[in-house]
């Protein structure tokens, strides 16, 4: 979209079944907390946020993805989302995991390592895996367990986010599948 900056990030993108489950949880959370729901087709889990990049740097990001994809164990695992929680500082309500699978932590570590080696600024805070369900929530929730959503992960994506008046729109720039 003209005028507005675009930004890119690595993410896990759910299949239709998992997205539907997350969307249902989002509806439940919305009834309780208000705010703006993430549209079903844009639900995702961010692995590494990059920000604005030039076309040349984009090629380097794809090289980073290629490098990380070569490790099959890091890209094929089940992620169980079984928590609903919120953050006061950014008024987000999210779906999260009681335990972060080791391969997911490893995937993020590998991505950050490869990004750092390629001179991209990486996140210094500990990785907090979450899927944002609501933004600008009117009320918080106390973190609670919910009916588990088992997400079979078998790859990751590089996505471009374009901010528009109707919210963020996402375009998949590249997809990496485990062992393929
Ligand atoms: P959020 O859902 O917690 O806001 C696209 O904006 C994705 O990148 C979102 O999942 C968002 O996380 C994440 N994101 C946006 N800005 C970020 C930042 N500065 N650091 C880390 N993640 C960010």
């Amino acid at each position: 979209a003209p005028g507005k900056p675009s930004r890119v990030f690595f993410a896990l993108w759910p299949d239709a079944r998992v997205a539907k489950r997350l969307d249902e949880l989002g509806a439940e959370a919305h009834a309780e907390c208000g705010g703006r729901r993430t549209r079903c087709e844009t639900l995702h889990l961010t692995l590494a946020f990059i920000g604005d990049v030039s076309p040349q740097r984009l090629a380097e990001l794809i090289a980073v993805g290629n490098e990380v994809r070569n490790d099959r164990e890091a890209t094929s695992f089940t992620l169980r989302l079984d928590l609903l929680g919120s953050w006061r500082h950014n008024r987000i309500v999210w779906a999260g995991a009681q335990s972060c699978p080791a391969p997911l932590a490893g995937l993020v570590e590998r991505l950050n390592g490869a990004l750092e080696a390629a001179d991209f600024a990486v996140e210094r805070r500990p990785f907090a895996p979450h899927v944002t369900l609501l933004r600008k929530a009117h009320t918080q929730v106390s973190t609670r367990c919910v009916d588990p959503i088992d997400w079979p992960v078998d790859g990751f994506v590089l996505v471009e986010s374009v901010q528009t008046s109707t919210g963020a729109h996402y375009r998949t720039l590249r997809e990496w599948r485990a062992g393929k």
Side-chain angles (χ1 to χ4, degrees):
K4 296 285 174 89
S6 66
R7 48 195 189 158
V8 299
F9 57 97
F10 286 100
L12 301 181
W13 215 268
D15 63 21
R17 183 189 65 85
V18 170
K20 182 167 179 287
R21 292 284 313 277
L22 286 165
D23 192 51
E24 286 162 4
L25 184 57
E28 192 185 314
H30 186 255
E32 193 175 328
C33 303
R36 203 179 71 234
R37 287 177 67 185
T38 306
R39 286 172 291 119
C40 187
E41 66 273 20
T42 62
L43 289 160
H44 66 274
L45 187 149
T46 298
L47 298 168
F49 183 79
I50 319 294
D52 293 333
V53 286
S54 66
Q56 191 209 324
R57 295 288 271 163
L58 202 53
E60 292 173 50
L61 284 180
I62 286 165
V64 164
N66 288 340
E67 190 183 322
V68 172
R69 187 270 318 271
N70 286 333
D71 186 336
R72 194 177 203 294
E73 267 175 40
T75 53
S76 192
F77 54 90
T78 300
L79 171 60
R80 169 166 285 198
L81 296 173
D82 53 5
L83 285 183
L84 182 71
S86 61
W87 287 321
R88 193 175 297 276
H89 71 278
N90 55 10
R91 293 168 62 202
I92 275 175
V93 175
W94 44 261
Q98 289 190 68
S99 90
C100 177
L104 174 55
L107 174 56
V108 169
E109 217 169 278
R110 275 161 213 282
L111 277 171
N112 282 332
L115 286 168
E116 202 161 26
D119 260 339
F120 287 96
V122 297
E123 182 62 69
R124 297 273 165 210
R125 290 171 300 184
F127 175 56
H130 68 281
V131 177
T132 296
L133 301 176
L134 306 176
R135 295 185 189 280
K136 300 189 170 146
H138 304 317
T139 59
Q140 305 285 304
V141 293
S142 308
T143 305
R144 67 170 185 250
C145 294
V146 292
D147 196 15
I149 301 171
D150 282 328
W151 177 346
V153 174
D154 74 339
F156 61 95
V157 290
L158 179 66
V159 178
E160 180 185 30
S161 160
V162 182
Q163 304 300 313
T164 72
S165 55
T166 58
H169 289 259
Y170 299 107
R171 190 163 71 92
T172 301
L173 299 173
R174 189 62 76 95
E175 179 170 16
W176 291 269
R177 289 272 155 222
K180 281 171 215 161

